[in-house]
């Protein structure tokens, strides 16, 4: 019952925000409001991968994450495998309204975001969120799997570089002195 009450509170707050700011957005069946800034081509479904650029903000306008702002330390398109998504439900809900090249804002109720737990200091409990999204590319299943492998390799290389830096920038030596 508390979750249902929160959904109603979130929806009321989102509607008030959109009305106050004269924003036209379409509500999905799950509850995310999507404001299309630029229409894309094609459609996005559960069987594809999507590369996006994004900036997440709280409703007071404070950015808490972005892959286009260098201060967040990860500037490159973000890959989402919609067959096995690892993002909040509001993103999945909103992305299915878009196509390649689309730009949109998602107004996400807390139940489709981080819920009652929030996420760190930046996102409080039951916080509604706003994301600016640009769909950079839509990939088929094979392309998505290849992109995921490439992304994992890059992450592993980056971790190895960081480990070497922590060890004084030298390659790790075995106890017997060999490399």
């Amino acid at each position: 019952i508390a979750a249902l009450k929160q959904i109603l509170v979130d929806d009321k707050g989102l509607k008030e925000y959109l009305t106050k700011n004269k924003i036209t957005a379409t509500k999905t069946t799950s509850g995310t409001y999507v404001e299309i800034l630029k229409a894309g081509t094609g459609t996005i479904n559960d069987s594809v991968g999507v590369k996006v650029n994004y900036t997440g903000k709280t409703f007071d306008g404070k950015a808490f994450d972005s892959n286009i702002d260098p201060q967040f330390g990860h500037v490159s398109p973000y890959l989402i495998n919609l067959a096995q998504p690892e993002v909040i439900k509001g993103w999945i809900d909103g992305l299915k309204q878009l196509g390649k090249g689309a730009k949109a804002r998602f107004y996400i109720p807390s139940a489709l975001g981080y819920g009652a737990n929030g996420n760190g200091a930046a996102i409080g409990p039951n916080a509604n969120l706003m994301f600016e999204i640009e769909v950079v590319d839509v990939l088929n299943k094979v392309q998505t799997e290849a992109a995921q492998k490439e992304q994992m390799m890059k992450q592993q290389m980056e971790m190895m570089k960081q480990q070497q830096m922590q060890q004084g920038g030298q390659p790790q030596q075995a106890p017997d002195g060999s490399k």
Side-chain angles (χ1 to χ4, degrees):
I1 298 217
L4 182 58
K5 284 183 182 177
Q6 188 60 48
I7 289 170
L8 296 173
V9 167
D10 289 348
D11 194 59
K12 182 179 182 212
L14 290 170
K15 285 179 183 174
E16 287 173 357
Y17 179 87
L18 296 171
T19 301
K20 176 182 162 196
N21 292 288
K22 298 180 173 79
I23 296 169
T24 303
T26 304
K27 184 179 178 183
T28 67
T29 54
S30 296
T32 297
Y33 286 86
V34 179
E35 176 189 13
I36 304 288
L37 304 173
K38 177 185 171 197
T41 58
T43 58
I44 295 172
N45 59 49
D46 291 337
S47 67
V48 301
V50 182
K51 286 187 176 184
V52 299
N53 286 328
Y54 70 91
T55 299
K57 297 179 181 179
T58 56
F59 271 67
D60 62 5
K62 189 174 175 186
F64 57 82
D65 193 15
S66 176
N67 73 335
I68 58 173
D69 184 338
Q71 79 171 341
F72 293 100
H74 52 100
V75 182
S76 63
Y78 183 67
L79 175 66
I80 304 161
N81 181 345
L82 290 170
Q84 300 171 328
E86 296 180 2
V87 293
I88 59 174
K89 291 177 184 170
W91 269 37
I92 304 306
D93 199 28
L95 284 170
K96 291 179 182 178
Q97 312 306 308
L98 306 179
K100 183 176 179 176
K103 291 185 180 182
R105 276 194 200 97
F106 297 165
Y107 302 91
I108 300 176
S110 68
L112 299 177
Y114 295 98
N117 295 326
N119 188 18
I123 302 172
N126 297 315
N128 293 332
L129 303 173
M130 180 184 346
F131 285 89
E132 294 175 5
I133 302 279
E134 176 187 14
V135 178
V136 177
D137 204 358
V138 178
L139 310 173
N140 65 32
K141 185 178 178 183
V142 173
Q143 292 169 320
T144 300
E145 289 170 359
Q148 283 180 307
K149 285 179 186 174
E150 181 182 335
Q151 187 171 295
M152 281 179 47
M153 292 295 287
K154 283 182 182 176
Q155 288 172 344
Q156 289 173 345
M157 293 298 288
E158 196 59 39
M159 284 176 28
M160 287 170 50
K161 284 181 189 175
Q162 288 176 359
Q163 287 174 346
Q164 284 183 345
M165 297 282 281
Q166 290 172 354
Q167 296 167 357
Q170 300 299 316
Q172 201 171 11
Q173 290 188 345
D176 64 2
S178 64
K179 291 187 182 185

